[in-house]
mmCIF file of all heavy atoms in Angstrom:
data_model
loop_
_atom_site.group_PDB
_atom_site.id
_atom_site.type_symbol
_atom_site.label_atom_id
_atom_site.label_comp_id
_atom_site.label_asym_id
_atom_site.label_seq_id
_atom_site.Cartn_x
_atom_site.Cartn_y
_atom_site.Cartn_z
ATOM 1 N N GLY A 192 -104.863 89.137 16.309
ATOM 2 C CA GLY A 192 -103.892 89.992 16.977
ATOM 3 C C GLY A 192 -103.484 91.125 16.058
ATOM 4 O O GLY A 192 -103.280 90.925 14.863
ATOM 5 N N PHE A 193 -103.386 92.310 16.615
ATOM 6 C CA PHE A 193 -102.986 93.485 15.855
ATOM 7 C C PHE A 193 -101.683 94.017 16.446
ATOM 8 O O PHE A 193 -101.642 94.389 17.623
ATOM 9 C CB PHE A 193 -104.091 94.553 15.897
ATOM 10 C CG PHE A 193 -105.368 94.078 15.263
ATOM 11 C CD1 PHE A 193 -106.358 93.484 16.037
ATOM 12 C CD2 PHE A 193 -105.564 94.181 13.899
ATOM 13 C CE1 PHE A 193 -107.523 93.016 15.466
ATOM 14 C CE2 PHE A 193 -106.734 93.712 13.314
ATOM 15 C CZ PHE A 193 -107.706 93.130 14.092
ATOM 16 N N PRO A 194 -100.607 94.021 15.646
ATOM 17 C CA PRO A 194 -99.313 94.452 16.183
ATOM 18 C C PRO A 194 -99.312 95.919 16.589
ATOM 19 O O PRO A 194 -100.035 96.735 16.025
ATOM 20 C CB PRO A 194 -98.349 94.206 15.017
ATOM 21 C CG PRO A 194 -99.199 94.143 13.806
ATOM 22 C CD PRO A 194 -100.559 93.693 14.230
ATOM 23 N N VAL A 195 -98.490 96.211 17.580
ATOM 24 C CA VAL A 195 -98.263 97.590 18.005
ATOM 25 C C VAL A 195 -96.814 97.906 17.638
ATOM 26 O O VAL A 195 -95.885 97.302 18.165
ATOM 27 C CB VAL A 195 -98.503 97.766 19.519
ATOM 28 C CG1 VAL A 195 -98.194 99.188 19.947
ATOM 29 C CG2 VAL A 195 -99.935 97.380 19.874
ATOM 30 N N VAL A 196 -96.640 98.834 16.697
ATOM 31 C CA VAL A 196 -95.319 99.180 16.174
ATOM 32 C C VAL A 196 -94.973 100.588 16.626
ATOM 33 O O VAL A 196 -95.701 101.537 16.319
ATOM 34 C CB VAL A 196 -95.298 99.081 14.630
ATOM 35 C CG1 VAL A 196 -93.925 99.444 14.100
ATOM 36 C CG2 VAL A 196 -95.710 97.691 14.173
ATOM 37 N N ASP A 197 -93.878 100.723 17.377
ATOM 38 C CA ASP A 197 -93.446 102.023 17.900
ATOM 39 C C ASP A 197 -94.578 102.733 18.646
ATOM 40 O O ASP A 197 -94.765 103.943 18.527
ATOM 41 C CB ASP A 197 -92.912 102.916 16.780
ATOM 42 C CG ASP A 197 -91.637 102.366 16.163
ATOM 43 O OD1 ASP A 197 -90.873 101.712 16.885
ATOM 44 O OD2 ASP A 197 -91.421 102.589 14.953
ATOM 45 N N GLY A 198 -95.360 101.967 19.407
ATOM 46 C CA GLY A 198 -96.431 102.532 20.215
ATOM 47 C C GLY A 198 -97.710 102.838 19.464
ATOM 48 O O GLY A 198 -98.643 103.395 20.027
ATOM 49 N N ILE A 199 -97.768 102.461 18.174
ATOM 50 C CA ILE A 199 -98.948 102.742 17.352
ATOM 51 C C ILE A 199 -99.605 101.423 16.950
ATOM 52 O O ILE A 199 -98.985 100.591 16.292
ATOM 53 C CB ILE A 199 -98.569 103.546 16.093
ATOM 54 C CG1 ILE A 199 -97.912 104.859 16.507
ATOM 55 C CG2 ILE A 199 -99.790 103.778 15.217
ATOM 56 C CD1 ILE A 199 -97.279 105.613 15.370
ATOM 57 N N PRO A 200 -100.870 101.210 17.342
ATOM 58 C CA PRO A 200 -101.561 99.988 16.950
ATOM 59 C C PRO A 200 -101.843 99.975 15.442
ATOM 60 O O PRO A 200 -102.302 100.964 14.881
ATOM 61 C CB PRO A 200 -102.876 100.026 17.727
ATOM 62 C CG PRO A 200 -102.787 101.168 18.664
ATOM 63 C CD PRO A 200 -101.666 102.043 18.219
ATOM 64 N N VAL A 201 -101.531 98.864 14.798
ATOM 65 C CA VAL A 201 -101.798 98.696 13.370
ATOM 66 C C VAL A 201 -103.111 97.922 13.263
ATOM 67 O O VAL A 201 -103.131 96.698 13.318
ATOM 68 C CB VAL A 201 -100.642 97.945 12.670
ATOM 69 C CG1 VAL A 201 -100.934 97.790 11.185
ATOM 70 C CG2 VAL A 201 -99.323 98.670 12.896
ATOM 71 N N LEU A 202 -104.217 98.646 13.132
ATOM 72 C CA LEU A 202 -105.545 98.036 13.139
ATOM 73 C C LEU A 202 -106.052 97.806 11.718
ATOM 74 O O LEU A 202 -107.110 98.276 11.314
ATOM 75 C CB LEU A 202 -106.523 98.916 13.927
ATOM 76 C CG LEU A 202 -106.164 99.121 15.395
ATOM 77 C CD1 LEU A 202 -107.161 100.044 16.071
ATOM 78 C CD2 LEU A 202 -106.097 97.792 16.118
ATOM 79 N N LEU A 203 -105.277 97.042 10.962
ATOM 80 C CA LEU A 203 -105.643 96.678 9.597
ATOM 81 C C LEU A 203 -105.869 95.172 9.539
ATOM 82 O O LEU A 203 -105.018 94.396 9.977
ATOM 83 C CB LEU A 203 -104.524 97.064 8.620
ATOM 84 C CG LEU A 203 -104.141 98.538 8.571
ATOM 85 C CD1 LEU A 203 -102.880 98.726 7.739
ATOM 86 C CD2 LEU A 203 -105.288 99.347 8.002
ATOM 87 N N LEU A 204 -107.016 94.764 9.001
ATOM 88 C CA LEU A 204 -107.306 93.328 8.924
ATOM 89 C C LEU A 204 -106.261 92.591 8.094
ATOM 90 O O LEU A 204 -105.931 91.446 8.386
ATOM 91 C CB LEU A 204 -108.710 93.101 8.352
ATOM 92 C CG LEU A 204 -109.847 93.477 9.297
ATOM 93 C CD1 LEU A 204 -111.184 93.362 8.575
ATOM 94 C CD2 LEU A 204 -109.832 92.613 10.537
ATOM 95 N N ASP A 205 -105.713 93.256 7.060
ATOM 96 C CA ASP A 205 -104.680 92.626 6.232
ATOM 97 C C ASP A 205 -103.387 92.377 6.995
ATOM 98 O O ASP A 205 -102.598 91.517 6.629
ATOM 99 C CB ASP A 205 -104.368 93.484 5.010
ATOM 100 C CG ASP A 205 -105.523 93.536 4.025
ATOM 101 O OD1 ASP A 205 -106.420 92.680 4.113
ATOM 102 O OD2 ASP A 205 -105.522 94.435 3.165
ATOM 103 N N GLU A 206 -103.135 93.134 8.052
ATOM 104 C CA GLU A 206 -101.919 93.003 8.853
ATOM 105 C C GLU A 206 -102.138 92.174 10.115
ATOM 106 O O GLU A 206 -101.205 91.935 10.873
ATOM 107 C CB GLU A 206 -101.409 94.389 9.255
ATOM 108 C CG GLU A 206 -101.087 95.312 8.101
ATOM 109 C CD GLU A 206 -99.825 94.917 7.370
ATOM 110 O OE1 GLU A 206 -98.893 94.401 8.018
ATOM 111 O OE2 GLU A 206 -99.783 95.116 6.142
ATOM 112 N N ALA A 207 -103.371 91.755 10.357
ATOM 113 C CA ALA A 207 -103.704 91.042 11.595
ATOM 114 C C ALA A 207 -103.069 89.661 11.639
ATOM 115 O O ALA A 207 -102.864 89.010 10.614
ATOM 116 C CB ALA A 207 -105.223 90.911 11.727
ATOM 117 N N ILE A 208 -102.766 89.236 12.850
ATOM 118 C CA ILE A 208 -102.237 87.898 13.106
ATOM 119 C C ILE A 208 -103.441 87.003 13.378
ATOM 120 O O ILE A 208 -104.255 87.316 14.249
ATOM 121 C CB ILE A 208 -101.298 87.920 14.318
ATOM 122 C CG1 ILE A 208 -100.159 88.913 14.084
ATOM 123 C CG2 ILE A 208 -100.779 86.527 14.643
ATOM 124 C CD1 ILE A 208 -99.450 89.345 15.347
ATOM 125 N N PRO A 209 -103.603 85.905 12.616
ATOM 126 C CA PRO A 209 -104.770 85.053 12.836
ATOM 127 C C PRO A 209 -104.793 84.498 14.257
ATOM 128 O O PRO A 209 -103.743 84.346 14.888
ATOM 129 C CB PRO A 209 -104.612 83.923 11.828
ATOM 130 C CG PRO A 209 -103.423 84.236 11.015
ATOM 131 C CD PRO A 209 -102.706 85.404 11.619
ATOM 132 N N PRO A 210 -105.983 84.177 14.761
ATOM 133 C CA PRO A 210 -106.064 83.574 16.093
ATOM 134 C C PRO A 210 -105.285 82.271 16.140
ATOM 135 O O PRO A 210 -105.186 81.569 15.139
ATOM 136 C CB PRO A 210 -107.556 83.317 16.301
ATOM 137 C CG PRO A 210 -108.256 83.964 15.169
ATOM 138 C CD PRO A 210 -107.269 84.332 14.135
ATOM 139 N N ALA A 211 -104.737 81.953 17.292
ATOM 140 C CA ALA A 211 -103.906 80.751 17.434
ATOM 141 C C ALA A 211 -104.668 79.492 17.067
ATOM 142 O O ALA A 211 -104.125 78.606 16.423
ATOM 143 C CB ALA A 211 -103.396 80.652 18.866
ATOM 144 N N ASP A 212 -105.937 79.372 17.441
ATOM 145 C CA ASP A 212 -106.684 78.154 17.155
ATOM 146 C C ASP A 212 -106.969 77.995 15.677
ATOM 147 O O ASP A 212 -106.913 76.903 15.141
ATOM 148 C CB ASP A 212 -107.964 78.070 17.979
ATOM 149 C CG ASP A 212 -108.896 79.250 17.743
ATOM 150 O OD1 ASP A 212 -108.479 80.236 17.123
ATOM 151 O OD2 ASP A 212 -110.057 79.170 18.199
ATOM 152 N N SER A 213 -107.228 79.082 14.923
ATOM 153 C CA SER A 213 -107.489 78.947 13.491
ATOM 154 C C SER A 213 -106.203 78.724 12.705
ATOM 155 O O SER A 213 -106.203 78.075 11.681
ATOM 156 C CB SER A 213 -108.224 80.178 12.948
ATOM 157 O OG SER A 213 -107.364 81.282 12.867
ATOM 158 N N ALA A 214 -105.071 79.235 13.205
ATOM 159 C CA ALA A 214 -103.797 79.017 12.536
ATOM 160 C C ALA A 214 -103.425 77.544 12.566
ATOM 161 O O ALA A 214 -102.948 76.974 11.600
ATOM 162 C CB ALA A 214 -102.699 79.858 13.171
ATOM 163 N N SER A 215 -103.688 76.884 13.682
ATOM 164 C CA SER A 215 -103.341 75.464 13.793
ATOM 165 C C SER A 215 -104.295 74.605 12.971
ATOM 166 O O SER A 215 -103.898 73.616 12.385
ATOM 167 C CB SER A 215 -103.334 75.020 15.258
ATOM 168 O OG SER A 215 -104.623 75.165 15.816
ATOM 169 N N THR A 216 -105.576 74.991 12.874
ATOM 170 C CA THR A 216 -106.515 74.195 12.104
ATOM 171 C C THR A 216 -106.317 74.392 10.604
ATOM 172 O O THR A 216 -106.517 73.475 9.840
ATOM 173 C CB THR A 216 -107.982 74.532 12.473
ATOM 174 O OG1 THR A 216 -108.184 75.926 12.300
ATOM 175 C CG2 THR A 216 -108.295 74.126 13.889
ATOM 176 N N SER A 217 -105.871 75.586 10.184
ATOM 177 C CA SER A 217 -105.646 75.789 8.761
ATOM 178 C C SER A 217 -104.425 75.021 8.291
ATOM 179 O O SER A 217 -104.361 74.585 7.157
ATOM 180 C CB SER A 217 -105.497 77.279 8.452
ATOM 181 O OG SER A 217 -104.313 77.785 9.029
#
Side-chain angles (χ1 to χ4, degrees):
F193 298 93
V195 177
V196 180
D197 294 329
I199 301 170
V201 180
L202 299 178
L203 301 171
L204 288 174
D205 292 343
E206 301 287 327
I208 302 161
D212 59 348
S213 73
S215 62
T216 56
S217 67

